[in-house]
């Protein structure tokens, strides 16, 4: 528990964390508001085919905050400190305090999970009233089961960012790939045009936990299991690589 508290303290001391928290808290409401304004006329006319998705789509696009969070949790450890501080890396200090590399990785995962869950709750608290304010009585019903699915989606996405960054030791690649995939071009959606196996990619399966799309492939429970399996396998690979890696390399 002390290791998780230490990781929480380190995360909250990073300058970039405030950008992650700001984006995570407000981006879902912005996306939901834009979607609500775009769809409002069709919804009032009763011809919208996407009413069930309005609002929730903000939670689908608004995970950039937790992606930044997950990447920062690991990449910050490999930044070289100033010469006044010895020119070393934070990772060396972390491993001298917590000798087990597995505990370090699990503590980071625990800290990221806690912040991601709280951030998603804040995002929901802001997004739901925003959607109701724009659509009024036409706003979709926000079901607790689907909101919980979105919560799991955020946590799993953040943990994927952690595992990915452990493998690369660099924040640029995972940040670029995950943010582009979640906001601009979904690689799994593109691949699904070629093969249904793409439906088992983590982001595509995770979306089925809370989005009522016409092309839904999994039940919310199965979608969650698939995404959790990806997180579990990636963390095992990351733990093996982290255990064998020379920190100074």
């Amino acid at each position: 528990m002390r290791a998780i508290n230490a990781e929480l303290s380190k995360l909250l001391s990073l300058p970039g964390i405030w950008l992650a928290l700001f984006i995570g808290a407000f981006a879902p409401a912005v996306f939901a508001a834009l979607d609500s304004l775009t769809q409002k006329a069709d919804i009032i006319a009763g011809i919208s085919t996407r009413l069930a998705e309005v609002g929730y789509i903000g939670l689908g696009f608004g995970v950039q905050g937790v992606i930044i969070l997950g990447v920062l949790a690991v990449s910050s450890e490999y930044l070289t400190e100033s010469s006044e501080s010895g020119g070393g890396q934070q990772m060396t200090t972390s491993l001298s305090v917590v000798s087990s590399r597995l505990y370090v990785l699990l503590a980071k995962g625990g800290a990221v999970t806690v912040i991601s869950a709280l951030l998603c709750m804040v995002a929901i608290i802001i997004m739901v009233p925003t959607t109701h304010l724009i659509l009024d009585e036409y706003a979709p019903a926000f079901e607790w089961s689907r909101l919980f699915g979105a919560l799991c989606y955020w946590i799993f996405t953040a943990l994927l960012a952690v595992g990915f960054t452990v493998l690369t030791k660099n924040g640029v690649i995972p940040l670029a790939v995950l943010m582009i995939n979640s906001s601009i071009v979904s690689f799994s959606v593109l691949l699904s045009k070629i093969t249904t196996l793409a439906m088992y990619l983590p982001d595509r399966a995770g979306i089925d936990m809370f989005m009522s799309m016409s092309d839904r492939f999994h039940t919310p429970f199965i979608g969650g299991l698939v995404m959790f399996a990806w997180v579990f396998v990636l963390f095992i690979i990351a733990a093996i690589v982290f255990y064998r890696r020379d920190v100074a390399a």
Side-chain angles (χ1 to χ4, degrees), residues 5-249:
N5 289 335
E7 291 297 334
L8 285 171
S9 178
K10 281 195 293 185
L11 268 175
L12 294 176
S13 68
L14 297 173
I17 194 66
W18 301 109
L19 175 62
L21 297 179
F22 180 82
I23 292 175
F26 295 102
V30 172
F31 280 111
L34 292 174
D35 191 46
S36 297
L37 290 170
T38 302
Q39 293 290 315
K40 187 172 183 178
D42 288 344
I43 292 172
I44 293 175
I47 59 175
S48 174
T49 59
R50 296 184 51 252
L51 176 59
E53 297 177 24
V54 175
Y56 290 103
I57 197 170
L59 295 172
F61 282 108
V63 293
Q64 287 87 351
V66 294
I67 289 174
I68 296 173
L69 170 68
V71 171
L72 278 177
V74 179
S75 63
S76 61
E77 296 279 0
Y78 291 102
L79 293 177
T80 302
E81 298 175 349
S82 63
S83 56
E84 290 81 5
S85 301
Q89 294 178 336
Q90 177 62 42
M91 181 60 75
T92 305
T93 304
S94 297
L95 292 177
S96 65
V97 176
V98 182
S99 57
S100 171
R101 297 191 179 205
L102 179 60
Y103 286 166
V104 170
L105 188 57
L106 291 177
K108 286 189 177 299
V112 168
T113 296
V114 170
I115 297 179
S116 297
L118 293 175
L119 189 56
C120 185
M121 292 178 191
V122 171
I124 290 171
I125 290 172
I126 298 173
M127 184 224 29
V128 172
T130 300
T131 306
H132 277 281
L133 180 65
I134 296 173
L135 296 179
D136 199 19
E137 73 269 21
Y138 299 102
F142 288 96
E143 305 166 16
W144 286 109
S145 59
R146 294 178 64 187
L147 293 176
F148 178 74
L151 176 69
C152 292
Y153 178 71
W154 279 45
I155 292 172
F156 293 160
T157 299
L159 292 177
L160 286 173
V162 170
F164 195 0
T165 311
V166 169
L167 297 180
T168 62
K169 285 182 61 177
N170 185 298
V172 176
I173 296 174
L175 194 63
V177 171
L178 294 174
M179 292 194 73
I180 290 173
N181 186 68
S182 64
S183 60
I184 301 175
V185 180
S186 174
F187 306 121
S188 60
V189 172
L190 294 177
L191 289 173
S192 68
K193 309 298 182 182
I194 303 173
T195 173
T196 57
L197 292 177
M199 297 295 189
Y200 290 91
L201 291 173
D203 60 321
R204 183 60 186 80
I207 285 290
D208 284 340
M209 286 193 285
F210 63 98
M211 293 285 282
S212 297
M213 298 182 294
S214 58
D215 61 343
R216 171 184 274 183
F217 190 79
H218 305 286
T219 64
F221 180 71
I222 296 300
L225 282 181
V226 171
M227 195 172 187
F228 173 78
W230 277 95
V231 172
F232 184 73
V233 171
L234 182 59
F235 254 70
I236 291 177
I237 297 173
I240 294 172
V241 171
F242 187 46
Y243 180 78
R244 296 182 175 180
R245 175 184 289 156
D246 180 0
V247 173

